Amino acid sequence: MATAEHHVGHHSVTGIDNRKLLMWIFLGSECLFFGALISTYLIFKADIPAPPISFIEAHTHVENGHEVVTGWFPVDRVIDDVYINEDGTFREVEFAGVLDIPITSQSTFVLLMSSVTMVLAVYGAQHGRLLSMKVWLLATILLGLIFLGYQVYEFRLFGSEGLTLETNQFGASFFVLTGFHGTHVFVGVLILASLLLASFRRSGLGPEAGFHVETAGLYWHFVDIVWIVIFTIIYLIPA
């Protein structure tokens, strides 16, 4: 007697694969998570001291006959843009924040390019071009690691200049928000690395390679979009 084979479908009543629907639900919850962190930052933004570090960087130039000197000055000796010298005299200072927009712009560009390579990896997987899929998955992983490298460098730089999680409200808001995002990027790298390693098995990713890579791509693009919002709010919009 012939044995009938039964194939279990994964489609929900919406017509969307329930595994992909689960990913969308997860990303929706992540929107709420990051929305709460970003909202907290915006609510207390006016109370964040500027610059948000224990030392103030000042630049040298002459303005209206007054010399603006360069150097790092302790915040507790600066009142209303005037630095009090140890001998009781005064110097005018011009604030310069600790955030390095050019460096962070480079890391942002790297992360945006990883979205492009992710799209190419999905295209390769969906069209049976397995070599192309592997190459672009590897490129996406490397770009993600480069972005994390930029973030580690930035965190170490800020720490050396006095900005830590415990320094003030800005430090807490900044490191929690960007740190959690970096954690999500790292998780994304692990997901893509697992797909890449699995693709080298004899059976590869199986007949659903396109689906698996596309679902991982949804997560990766979400992480990229969240960073654009964070970069705009923290780095580009003045406090």
Side-chain angles (χ1 to χ4, degrees):
M1 182 176 63
T3 302
E5 293 184 0
H6 297 280
H7 298 280
V8 179
H10 294 283
H11 289 283
S12 62
V13 294
T14 61
I16 302 175
D17 190 297
N18 53 24
R19 295 168 296 176
K20 184 178 292 186
L21 183 61
L22 182 61
M23 174 59 77
W24 280 112
I25 293 174
F26 170 72
L27 295 181
S29 67
E30 290 294 280
C31 287
L32 297 177
F33 174 75
F34 279 105
L37 293 178
I38 293 173
S39 298
T40 301
Y41 174 84
L42 292 176
I43 289 172
F44 296 103
K45 187 176 182 180
D47 299 328
I48 294 175
I53 48 178
S54 57
F55 289 83
I56 296 175
E57 181 183 8
H59 303 291
T60 301
H61 70 272
V62 177
E63 181 177 343
N64 298 327
H66 299 282
E67 181 185 14
V68 180
V69 296
T70 187
W72 291 91
F73 303 91
V75 170
D76 57 1
R77 297 181 64 86
V78 177
I79 301 177
D80 296 331
D81 297 355
V82 175
Y83 173 71
I84 305 175
N85 295 312
E86 294 182 357
D87 59 2
T89 58
F90 302 94
R91 292 181 180 178
E92 295 184 24
V93 294
E94 179 183 74
F95 290 160
V98 67
L99 301 181
D100 193 335
I101 294 180
I103 290 294
T104 313
S105 297
Q106 294 175 23
S107 66
T108 300
F109 176 78
V110 168
L111 196 60
L112 291 179
M113 288 301 99
S114 72
S115 276
V116 177
T117 58
M118 188 71 240
V119 169
L120 295 173
V122 172
Y123 180 85
Q126 291 178 338
H127 291 79
R129 300 178 180 179
L130 299 184
L131 178 60
S132 175
M133 178 196 72
K134 295 175 183 178
V135 169
W136 293 118
L137 275 177
L138 178 60
T140 306
I141 292 170
L142 292 177
L143 290 173
L145 291 175
I146 292 174
F147 174 83
L148 291 174
Y150 270 105
Q151 192 168 60
V152 170
Y153 168 79
E154 190 176 48
F155 283 6
R156 290 176 60 87
L157 177 63
F158 293 168
S160 67
E161 294 181 353
L163 177 63
T164 65
L165 189 65
E166 298 84 11
T167 301
N168 52 27
Q169 186 178 331
F170 178 87
S173 301
F174 174 82
F175 283 108
V176 169
L177 184 54
T178 58
F180 269 115
H181 177 268
T183 302
H184 281 70
V185 173
F186 181 70
V187 170
V189 168
L190 292 181
I191 293 173
L192 298 181
S194 66
L195 290 175
L196 180 60
L197 291 176
S199 69
F200 285 98
R201 298 181 304 183
R202 178 174 298 181
S203 59
L205 295 176
E208 293 187 316
F211 171 81
H212 295 312
V213 178
E214 180 186 6
T215 304
L218 291 177
Y219 176 87
W220 192 261
H221 294 314
F222 168 79
V223 170
D224 287 1
I225 292 173
V226 169
W227 177 251
I228 293 175
V229 176
I230 294 175
F231 176 69
T232 301
I233 291 176
I234 293 183
Y235 290 85
L236 300 184
I237 299 178

